[in-house]
Amino acid sequence: MDDASMVGLMGRVTGTIGPGLVGEVIVRVRGGAEHFLAYPVTGTDRIERGTVVTVVEYLPPRTVYVQSAYDS
C-alpha cells in the first residue's frame, strides 16, 4: 500500500492517542481492517478511544499520524 492510498482514510481509535503515548487505530484497508500505531498530527492533541479519525500521514509499514475526523 503506498502513502497516497492511506492518506484520507478514516479509522477508529482503539488505544488512546496523545503526548507521550503511542496510540492505536483500526483502519479498513486491503479488503479488511488492520491496526496501526498512531500519533496525533498536533503533538499536544489527545484523542480518546472510540473517536473517528482521518489518516493525515502514513509511515510504512504500520504507523499513521491522525486527526479527529469531526469537530467536537
Side-chain angles (χ1 to χ4, degrees), residues 3-69:
D3 297 2
S5 59
M6 281 291 294
V7 172
L9 292 180
M10 295 177 81
R12 185 170 304 275
V13 176
T14 56
T16 302
I17 301 167
L21 301 173
V22 177
E24 183 182 64
V25 297
I26 189 166
V27 180
R28 290 179 128 343
V29 292
R30 297 183 273 267
E34 297 183 19
H35 288 265
F36 293 85
L37 299 175
Y39 295 93
V41 170
T42 304
T44 58
D45 285 350
R46 184 176 175 93
I47 307 172
E48 299 295 332
R49 259 182 94 187
T51 304
V52 176
V53 293
T54 302
V55 175
V56 176
E57 185 176 352
Y58 170 60
L59 301 175
R62 311 284 321 156
T63 303
V64 293
Y65 283 80
V66 299
Q67 66 185 16
S68 181

